[in-house]
Amino acid sequence: MRDAAVDGLLMIELLEHVPDPRRLLAEAGRVLRPSGVLLGSAPFMVPVHGDPHDYYRYSADGLRALLAGFDRAEILPFGNHWSAAWTLVSARSRILRLWNPLFRTLGGRSDARCPQGYVFTARAPARK
């Protein structure tokens, strides 16, 4: 794809599955137009998934470091200790996962000290 070709990119629950996320984000910055928007999410407290290709978990600081080449990066937590704990406890049981809708409501208020994951937005820098 050519440089500055798109206005926006979506990376939902993708970064943990990429062996070189810095390279992926550099490519995202290359194809985004100046001030183009990157929108994404990344898990923090979730079980290993997508075996064998599940490489990383990201804290807010880790995401901030990865997004350092972008402008106006905003990183917001989602979930809290209840939703994170439930995700871990119910991961291996189909019967327990039937309760997921209830426990998602308990996880409705985000807690930055114990999130289930993060959503992020960032803008491509203006070209020189």
Side-chain angles (χ1 to χ4, degrees), residues 13-109:
E13 309 291 315
L14 173 69
L15 287 175
E16 74 273 19
H17 298 288
V18 179
D20 190 351
R22 289 189 188 281
R23 184 173 166 201
L24 174 69
L25 289 168
E27 182 68 4
R30 184 187 70 77
V31 301
L32 278 170
R33 290 189 177 118
S35 297
V37 177
L38 172 64
L39 172 65
S41 64
F44 183 58
M45 296 287 295
V46 297
V48 172
H49 59 282
D51 278 337
H53 302 291
D54 187 2
Y55 299 102
Y56 303 103
R57 295 295 178 269
Y58 297 100
S59 65
D61 291 334
L63 287 169
R64 207 170 282 104
L66 282 175
L67 297 170
F70 290 83
D71 291 341
R72 295 186 302 203
E74 184 175 1
I75 300 157
L76 301 171
F78 67 83
N80 56 38
H81 62 286
W82 292 111
S83 62
W86 180 254
T87 298
L88 294 171
V89 166
S90 68
R92 306 231 356 143
S93 170
R94 287 184 180 184
I95 291 173
L96 288 179
R97 284 194 308 257
L98 293 173
W99 291 92
N100 279 357
L102 171 66
F103 279 89
R104 282 193 186 110
T105 62
L106 292 175
R109 177 170 278 164

